[in-house]
């Protein structure tokens, strides 16, 4: 009997995986959705809140219209709540405030058939997993809360009304990216735009139009066509520079692109973008692209050949004034204006790729972007499937942002634990994959494993041999008391010839807190935080090869593990701004330091 059971189980598993492979995992999404022919599906979507996960068993993606007088269904999208898409679900319904579970979304839309087009459903991001059904058929699933994905639906659409159902689940996974533990609000939902995308039968899926590494007047890139007519004439046109480059794609739809031009290179003081038209015989797509060089020369970071100091700030993807997930262009403008006011020329989008509005707005405002994967702290590097997830998320992030000149750093992990099985080899592998995908930007990993004894930092990290920049987080003065004069801090690096960025530092303060002595941490006073920043700025003068700073962080943000009922209330209070955008005393210390740097 037992043998028979095992056989049945093996068969069931095989059929399950076979069905999923038929339905298809999501493809990596075509890039530059804004330049495509889209029908935007944003709006109020009816939902079914499913805290017990019963929706699977009830198959809520199927019609609930009774077929006879005795039939009934114990679910319905009609008559229930509706939620805004995009947007996190936690802040839209009282039953969802702390929800980590399943919410089913439904969207009906009409379609007029057209044989000469292809159709895709494109999601900017869904946190954390999505199972997508169209007209009762499972299209497939996606895992990862911060990168775009799509499904081709050309052969699934019907004339007239179509019904899309998305199962969203934001439960944390031990083998997830991130894993179980992270220090930000786990907002679930369809958190970014949803679009029905129409393309020609052979369309431009992807392209890379950027300056060749370290070369100021030469583009080295490519164009990728998806579709039957793979072999086409391809052109890249930059009208302002009178560039009209043409080439031919091969039988794989791939066309190398190489041309010269007198580019007015992008920089924070000159955020120049060009209209770029990428066209083939069957498709045309327009983009606004900047051209710049970001390099490491010796132990310096250079932008367009000139040394540059990265005056950064950390930001989470949250609009504190709403205490909710940020997802609009206005949210991006508010957060980036706050960063600009502090004197920043870079934002570290912690700890995951933010929405595209943020990346594009930063580029337009002349703010460099640090793009990061949520390979955060405790990751199960040796669990089967985890490295595949890392690889997919890397490709999704780079495919979306590869033509954004504002993006200068790919950061591939944050504070992972050095002695986790397979951690080093997995992170070295993803570093090499990143460089294969894009050798024009700087690559880093962020650590906090450095030792700090006798007022001396010992930075020993195998990964840095493979990185362009050493990035480390330290909280001296908050989590770790000072061991001596900040100005007498010593540093020992096993890697001594690379630029160093202090990618996080700071401490907490509740705006206006004066509940106790300002020289005691336990009262969350602004003065205590101010002192941390004053001493940190003294210590920065001792850091060898220091090329950048990112205070943690711009503004207070929600993190349910921060549970002090008076000072935190579920907020991490390390912001230089309060959750209402009020400047704390430490804000002025950092502002003065950045202004002084500009005068050096
Ligand atoms: C870590 C981590 C952040 C976290 C911060 C803190 O360095 O990278 O995500 O929020 O410390 O403790 O506030």
């Amino acid at each position: 009997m037992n043998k028979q059971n095992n056989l049945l189980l093996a068969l069931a598993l095989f059929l399950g995986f076979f069905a999923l492979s038929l339905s298809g995992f999501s493809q990596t999404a075509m890039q530059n959705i804004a330049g495509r022919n889209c029908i935007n599906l944003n709006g109020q979507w009816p939902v079914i809140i499913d805290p017990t996960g019963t929706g699977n068993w009830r198959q809520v993606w199927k019609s609930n219209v009774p077929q006879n007088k005795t039939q009934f269904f114990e679910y319905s999208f009609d008559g229930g709540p509706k939620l805004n898409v995009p947007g996190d679900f936690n802040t839209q319904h009282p039953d969802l405030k702390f929800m980590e579970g399943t919410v089913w979304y439904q969207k009906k839309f009409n379609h007029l058939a057209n044989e000469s087009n292809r159709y895709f459903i494109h999601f900017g991001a869904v946190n954390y997993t999505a199972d997508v059904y169209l007209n009762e058929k499972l299209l497939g699933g996606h895992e990862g809360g911060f990168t775009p994905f799509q499904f081709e639906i050309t052969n699934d659409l019907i004339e007239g009304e179509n019904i899309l159902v998305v199962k969203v689940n934001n439960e944390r996974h031990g083998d997830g990216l991130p894993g179980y533990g992270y220090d930000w609000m786990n907002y679930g939902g369809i958190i970014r735009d949803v679009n029905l995308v129409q393309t020609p039968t052979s369309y431009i899926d992807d392209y890379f139009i950027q300056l060749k590494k370290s070369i100021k007047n030469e583009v080295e890139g490519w164009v990728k066509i998806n579709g039957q007519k793979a072999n086409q004439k391809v052109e890249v046109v930059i009208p302002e520079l009178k560039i009209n480059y043409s080439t031919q794609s091969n039988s794989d739809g791939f066309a190398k692109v190489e041309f010269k031009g007198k580019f007015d290179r992008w920089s924070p003081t000159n955020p120049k973008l060009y209209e770029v038209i990428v066209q083939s015989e069957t498709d045309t797509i327009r983009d606004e692209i900047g051209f710049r060089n970001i390099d490491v020369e010796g132990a310096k970071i250079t932008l367009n050949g000139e040394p540059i100091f990265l005056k950064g700030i950390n930001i989470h993807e949250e609009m504190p004034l709403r205490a909710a997930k940020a997802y609009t262009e206005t949210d991006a403008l508010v957060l980036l204006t706050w960063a600009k006011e502090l004197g920043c020329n870079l934002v570290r989008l912690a700890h995951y790729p933010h929405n595209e509005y943020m990346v594009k707005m930063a580029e337009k405002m002349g703010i460099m972007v640090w793009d990061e994967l949520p390979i955060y702290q405790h990751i199960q590097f040796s669990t089967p499937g985890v490295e595949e997830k890392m690889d997919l998320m890397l490709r999704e992030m780079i495919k979306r942002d590869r033509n954004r000149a504002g993006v200068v750093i790919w950061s591939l992990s944050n504070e992972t634990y050095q002695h986790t099985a397979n951690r080093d080899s997995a992170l070295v592998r993803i570093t090499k994959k990143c460089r294969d995908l894009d050798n024009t930007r700087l690559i880093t990993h962020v650590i906090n494993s450095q030792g700090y004894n006798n007022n001396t930092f010992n930075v020993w990290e195998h990964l840095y041999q493979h990185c362009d920049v050493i990035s480390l987080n330290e909280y001296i003065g908050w989590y770790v008391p000072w061991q001596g004069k900040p100005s007498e801090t010593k540093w020992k690096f096993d890697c001594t010839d690379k630029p160093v960025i202090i990618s996080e530092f700071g401490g907490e303060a509740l705006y206006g807190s004066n509940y106790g002595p300002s020289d005691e941490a336990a009262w969350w006073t602004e003065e205590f935080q101010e002192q941390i920043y004053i001493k940190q700025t003294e210590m920065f003068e001792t850091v060898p090869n220091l090329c950048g700073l990112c205070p943690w962080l711009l503004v207070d943000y929600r993190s349910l593990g921060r549970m002090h009922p008076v000072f935190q209330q579920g907020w991490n209070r390390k912001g230089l701004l309060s959750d209402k955008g009020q400047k704390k005393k430490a804000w002025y210390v950092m502002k003065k330091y950045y202004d002084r740097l500009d005068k050096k």
Side-chain angles (χ1 to χ4, degrees):
M1 191 56 177
N2 199 15
K3 194 172 176 192
Q4 192 183 11
N5 279 352
N6 289 341
L7 274 175
L8 283 173
L9 177 64
L11 179 64
L13 279 172
F14 169 73
L15 290 173
F17 278 116
F18 183 66
L20 198 57
S21 66
L22 278 183
S23 68
F25 286 96
S26 62
Q27 308 160 325
T28 51
M30 64 183 84
Q31 69 149 297
N32 187 6
I33 280 300
R36 307 273 181 180
N37 191 345
C38 293
I39 296 171
N40 182 280
L41 297 182
N42 293 355
Q44 288 242 308
W45 292 31
V47 297
I48 292 173
I49 298 172
D50 183 9
T52 62
T54 311
N56 280 324
W57 174 65
R58 292 199 184 283
Q59 299 190 322
V60 300
W61 58 90
K62 291 185 176 175
S63 163
N64 69 337
V65 177
Q67 299 305 302
N68 54 55
K69 292 189 181 302
T70 57
Q71 193 179 30
F72 61 90
F73 293 86
E74 294 185 58
Y75 67 88
S76 169
F77 282 100
D78 302 326
K82 292 184 178 179
L83 298 181
N84 291 322
V85 169
D88 68 84
F89 55 54
N90 304 90
T91 57
Q92 292 196 60
H93 193 287
D95 294 349
L96 298 173
K97 185 173 181 183
F98 299 124
M99 172 77 149
E100 290 190 339
T102 297
V103 175
W104 298 82
Y105 289 74
Q106 184 196 62
K107 179 70 179 178
K108 295 179 179 178
F109 60 90
N110 285 319
H111 171 65
L112 290 175
N114 179 327
E115 297 305 310
S116 59
N117 292 325
R118 291 167 69 180
Y119 297 91
F120 302 82
I121 192 78
H122 176 280
F123 295 86
V126 174
N127 188 43
Y128 173 75
T129 57
D131 293 321
V132 182
Y133 300 81
L134 183 66
N135 303 327
E136 303 192 353
K137 174 194 169 190
L138 174 65
L139 300 175
H142 181 267
E143 179 177 342
F146 313 99
T147 41
F149 60 97
Q150 69 184 37
F151 292 98
E152 179 157 9
I153 56 174
T154 308
N155 300 324
D156 302 295
L157 282 169
I158 55 179
E159 183 84 14
E161 184 178 81
N162 290 264
I163 301 178
L164 180 73
V165 171
V166 184
K167 175 189 175 186
V168 176
N169 183 286
N170 70 326
E171 285 170 282
R172 287 164 287 153
H173 297 246
D175 65 348
L177 301 178
Y180 283 126
Y182 43 94
D183 186 18
W184 64 85
M185 176 67 188
N186 177 27
Y187 289 113
I190 302 178
I191 55 172
R192 295 181 194 159
D193 295 338
V194 183
N195 281 288
L196 176 63
V197 189
Q198 171 187 309
T199 72
T201 49
S202 292
Y203 70 94
I204 296 167
D205 170 60
D206 198 359
Y207 51 90
F208 184 46
I209 311 289
Q210 287 283 283
L211 285 177
K212 190 172 180 179
K213 182 76 180 168
S214 315
I215 308 294
K216 69 179 182 181
N217 61 353
E218 199 172 328
V219 164
E220 182 180 67
W222 43 265
V223 175
K224 179 74 174 65
I225 290 172
N226 178 313
Q228 291 298 319
K229 191 173 172 35
N231 195 314
Q232 295 193 37
K233 180 183 177 186
V234 169
E235 291 175 287
V236 178
V237 179
I238 308 180
E240 188 179 337
L241 295 174
K242 297 183 175 47
I243 288 172
N244 195 327
Y245 172 81
S246 65
T247 181
Q248 191 72 22
S249 59
N250 64 21
S251 56
D252 294 329
F254 183 84
K256 225 168 134 48
V257 167
E258 292 172 310
F259 58 84
K260 292 190 176 185
K262 288 192 179 352
F263 298 98
D264 181 7
R265 288 185 289 176
W266 184 95
S267 73
T269 52
N270 174 40
K272 172 69 179 171
L273 300 176
Y274 288 91
E275 182 194 28
V276 176
I277 303 156
V278 183
Q279 59 195 24
S280 71
E281 295 163 39
T282 56
D283 196 9
T284 298
I285 189 160
R286 292 170 187 276
D287 205 340
E288 286 187 297
I289 296 179
F291 298 91
R292 55 98 191 93
N293 300 106
I294 186 78
D295 295 285
V296 164
E297 293 177 32
K300 292 240 180 272
I301 295 173
T302 63
L303 178 71
N304 301 329
E306 295 299 322
I308 188 166
F309 191 91
L310 305 183
K311 301 181 294 173
I313 189 71
N314 282 284
I315 299 182
H316 262 296
E317 189 183 42
E318 181 177 84
M319 177 27 69
L321 305 176
R322 280 199 316 269
K325 196 72 178 157
Y327 57 86
T328 67
E329 199 165 24
T330 309
D331 291 341
L333 184 60
V334 169
L335 293 167
L336 293 167
T337 302
W338 283 343
K340 204 112 170 135
E341 190 184 3
L342 181 60
C344 298
N345 63 11
L346 175 129
V347 286
R348 177 182 177 214
L349 301 186
H351 285 290
Y352 39 77
H354 289 205
N355 62 77
E356 243 183 322
Y357 294 118
M358 195 69 175
V359 176
K360 289 186 172 180
M361 180 71 72
E363 187 177 56
K364 285 191 173 67
M365 293 172 68
I367 300 173
M368 292 177 281
V369 169
W370 167 314
D371 235 337
E372 186 160 291
L373 289 179
I375 300 174
Y376 180 92
Q377 293 185 357
H378 187 49
I379 299 294
Q380 292 180 4
F381 290 106
S382 54
T383 299
V386 171
E387 280 205 64
E388 288 75 7
K389 291 178 191 176
M390 291 163 60
D391 178 60
L392 174 62
M393 207 175 275
L394 174 75
R395 288 184 287 114
E396 290 172 334
M397 173 177 75
I398 293 182
K399 185 170 182 182
R400 189 193 74 174
D401 293 344
R402 59 167 37 110
N403 293 305
R404 302 280 69 82
V407 175
V408 295
I409 292 178
W410 299 124
S411 171
L412 306 181
S413 70
N414 180 74
E415 297 190 350
T416 56
Y417 305 153
Q418 281 185 325
H419 307 297
T420 308
N422 195 40
R423 176 257 193 187
D424 281 10
S425 43
L427 291 182
V428 167
R429 272 190 289 275
I430 198 169
T431 308
K432 289 185 172 122
K433 283 178 189 168
C434 183
R435 206 173 296 283
D436 288 346
L437 286 170
D438 175 14
N439 74 349
T440 67
R441 290 177 173 90
L442 308 184
I443 299 173
T444 192
H445 289 269
V446 178
I447 66 155
N448 68 334
S449 50
Q450 64 278 357
Y452 176 63
N453 302 296
N454 306 321
N455 208 25
T456 304
F457 279 94
N458 297 285
V459 185
W460 259 254
E461 177 50 71
H462 165 74
L463 293 174
Y464 287 139
Q465 300 161 36
H466 305 273
C467 294
D468 300 298
V469 175
I470 293 173
S471 303
L472 61 94
N473 298 341
E474 49 84 14
Y475 284 92
I476 312 303
W478 179 247
Y479 292 126
V480 180
W482 295 99
Q483 294 174 0
K485 283 188 183 174
S487 58
E488 293 173 2
T489 307
K490 301 283 180 295
W491 296 82
K492 289 180 186 160
F493 288 87
D494 63 338
C495 202
T496 55
D497 59 349
K498 294 193 177 179
V500 174
I501 295 178
I502 306 286
S503 38
E504 288 181 36
F505 63 92
E508 297 208 18
L510 175 66
Y511 179 78
S513 165
N514 55 9
Y515 298 88
S518 59
D519 62 346
E520 294 176 15
W523 299 101
W524 267 258
T525 60
E526 289 187 54
E527 290 77 10
F528 194 88
Q529 185 191 40
E530 180 186 33
Q531 274 307 307
I532 291 173
Y533 274 77
I534 290 170
K535 290 179 178 174
Q536 285 277 339
T537 54
E538 289 166 9
M539 182 177 77
F540 295 149
E541 303 310 306
T542 69
V543 184
N545 304 332
L546 184 65
C547 289
L549 293 169
C550 283
W552 185 266
L553 78 169
L554 178 68
V555 58
D556 291 354
Y557 69 99
R558 294 181 63 193
S559 178
L560 299 183
R562 304 292 177 165
M563 300 185 286
H564 193 294
V566 175
F567 302 120
Q568 295 178 312
Q569 307 105 359
W571 290 75
N572 182 316
R573 297 287 184 198
K574 294 191 183 67
L576 288 171
L577 300 172
S578 76
D579 52 290
K580 299 288 180 293
Q582 301 146 312
K583 297 180 178 78
K584 300 176 189 175
K585 288 179 166 50
W587 184 94
Y588 296 92
V589 175
M590 204 63 220
K591 170 68 176 166
K592 185 179 166 195
Y593 186 80
Y594 278 165
D595 287 352
R596 218 173 51 217
L597 281 181
D598 287 344
K599 296 183 179 71
K600 272 188 176 173

